[in-house]
Amino acid sequence: MADKYDFGLVGLGVMGRNFILNVADNGFTAFGNDLDKEKVNALIEEGGDAAKVNASTDAVVFVEALSTPRKIMLLVPAGKVVDAVIEGLLPHLEEGDIIIDGGNSFFTDTDRREAYLKEKGINFFGAGVSGGAKGARKGPSIMPGGSRDAYQHVKPIFEAVAAKYKGEPCVAYLGPKSAGNYVKMVHNGIEYGLMQLTSEIYDLLKKAGGLTNEELHATFASWNAGRLQSFLVEITAEIFEQKDDLGDGHLVDKILDKAKQKGTGKWTSQNAMDLGIPIPTIDIAVSMREISALKQERIKADELYDRPTPESVVKDSLASKAEQALYFAFIMAYAQGMHQLADASKEYGYELDLGEIAKIWRAGCIIRAALLADITEAFKADAGLQNLLLSPSFVEKVKETVGATRELVAYGANSGIPLPGLSNALTYFDAYTSSRLPLNLIQAQRDYFGSHTYERIDKEGIFHTEWEE
Ligand code: 6PG
């Protein structure tokens, strides 16, 4: 056994095991802890050298094996398990020790835990980790929030294990309290948006253009070599190649069209509503997972209503328009997520640096994309940018792609192909860029039935009218 280990990790499931092996690969000694003996043994075996990676089912052995201040990361399911693990560790910890929750915990839970542990002299971090199992092993994007001073102890390890974008680590101190969890939550909201949009474009190419899985593979692969380059477009291309091991044909065609969710997308939408920040492309992505779950109802309803026959399209121009529309809508999803972060930063006192967040999303995480390099530049040029749509560099990108988006949204409506994410992205754009919206009528209605008052465009003050007289 090494003298004392540099880093501790509780929860040796796939993510935990991969993360701790990544820490060890980068020259730090690490000690794991899990109640499951098999997982402990599996890690010891895979680690190879107990002086570098070791583990125990015993929390006391685990805590005593670590150098101080102890740096203990939890990769356990969000919720009550996190509290239970903290309570189990607490009696054995010393002042100044650091606990890092690497799961997708709800941000107010992180605030509660941070305040509770602060009283006991323990530093608590909520650190979103993105990139799935492979990312945890080879380099995730890490989004830590908590005490800035305590972060200095964690920084060398996180910077070593994080994904690198052109040599720069995809991790940064993001802000106090739950800043890290909050940023990860919005990351996931954007993830939901991008995934929904990608699925709509797939539907369109398949139903309108009749593209085969081979053609879909080639189309997404070629997009991934251009401005749409991103992890999600890359894996989409690969998915269309996968043959079904259990039968004929391609696996994608055999997968039930009901998408599950663990809640982070929904939390993003719920909190955006609380903040009063519009993120319709993310909202609709959550709703679509809910509609997808209503499979039996959808089957019944499908029989009751006719669907228009898709209008004919030119296959070649369809793919090019789809590429433009996906690019346009991706921009809207990122713009909405960044807008939410800007507002949350003020509301919760996170003091987020949006350029820094875009920067650490450029590699390692699920929403990594070539676009994030442009988003980083946009916030570098103007740290106070309210919305990406106001950035001169994005005006050109949007102008160039909005026309094709309009055509496809109209095509989808006329052909009965649901494109809710795409049409939402477009209406968000049209509304956000309208200097005059018809909400004057809503104000008139509110004042009519409820004396809710209104403001005028030509005079200062608050007005009320007796409409019925
Ligand atoms: C990531 C992912 C990860 C997880 C999602 C899945 O960044 O690595 O976001 O955290 O895969 O939370 O979420 P759903 O189950 O809700 O789709």
Side-chain angles (χ1 to χ4, degrees), residues 104 129-132 184 187-188 191-192 260-264 289 366:
N104 284 327
V129 178
S130 180
K184 176 62 173 34
H187 164 285
N188 282 25
E191 173 185 305
Y192 273 50
K260 301 265 163 58
Q261 51 179 323
K262 292 202 203 79
T264 43
R289 293 203 188 187
I366 303 296

Side-chain angles (χ1 to χ4, degrees), residues 259-279:
K260 301 265 163 58
Q261 51 179 323
K262 292 202 203 79
T264 43
K266 184 183 76 180
W267 294 343
T268 310
S269 281
Q270 285 173 327
N271 185 256
M273 290 273 176
D274 289 342
L275 294 173
I277 294 295
I279 55 160

Side-chain angles (χ1 to χ4, degrees), residues 320-335:
S320 147
K321 283 174 192 157
E323 189 270 346
Q324 294 177 58
L326 192 56
Y327 190 70
F328 171 91
F330 269 21
I331 292 175
M332 298 304 142
Y334 285 111

Side-chain angles (χ1 to χ4, degrees), residues 119-277:
E119 279 173 23
K120 301 182 187 306
I122 307 294
N123 292 296
F124 185 70
F125 281 83
V129 178
S130 180
K134 197 167 164 197
R137 185 73 184 85
K138 297 284 173 204
S141 169
I142 312 175
M143 296 153 240
S147 143
R148 190 186 283 276
D149 290 344
Y151 182 66
Q152 300 314 314
H153 296 288
V154 184
K155 190 177 171 198
I157 302 178
F158 276 4
E159 290 194 348
V161 303
K164 306 290 177 305
Y165 178 86
K166 297 189 177 165
E168 289 186 79
C170 290
V171 58
Y173 172 78
L174 295 183
K177 301 185 290 182
S178 56
N181 277 127
Y182 192 92
V183 170
K184 176 62 173 34
M185 177 185 82
V186 174
H187 164 285
N188 282 25
I190 297 171
E191 173 185 305
Y192 273 50
L194 304 182
M195 290 168 80
Q196 173 60 31
L197 292 164
T198 314
S199 76
E200 292 175 19
I201 292 292
Y202 151 58
D203 206 24
L204 195 64
L205 291 174
K206 193 174 155 134
K207 288 185 183 148
L211 266 68
T212 62
N213 285 318
E214 284 79 9
E215 289 170 325
L216 286 163
H217 161 74
T219 303
F220 277 90
S222 73
W223 292 352
N224 194 48
R227 61 184 168 180
L228 269 175
Q229 190 281 318
S230 57
F231 172 71
L232 287 168
V233 170
E234 179 190 331
I235 64 164
T236 302
E238 285 174 19
I239 285 167
F240 292 121
E241 270 196 312
Q242 183 74 38
K243 291 276 164 48
D244 182 9
D245 284 347
L246 303 178
D248 296 335
H250 288 87
L251 180 56
V252 69
D253 298 323
K254 309 282 177 61
I255 296 178
L256 184 66
D257 54 338
K258 278 165 81 168
K260 301 265 163 58
Q261 51 179 323
K262 292 202 203 79
T264 43
K266 184 183 76 180
W267 294 343
T268 310
S269 281
Q270 285 173 327
N271 185 256
M273 290 273 176
D274 289 342
L275 294 173
I277 294 295

Side-chain angles (χ1 to χ4, degrees), residues 11-14 17 34 36-44 55:
L12 300 177
V14 186
R17 190 176 69 238
D34 198 293
D36 185 339
K37 183 99 189 112
E38 273 181 31
K39 286 185 182 150
V40 164
N41 290 340
L43 175 68
I44 295 172

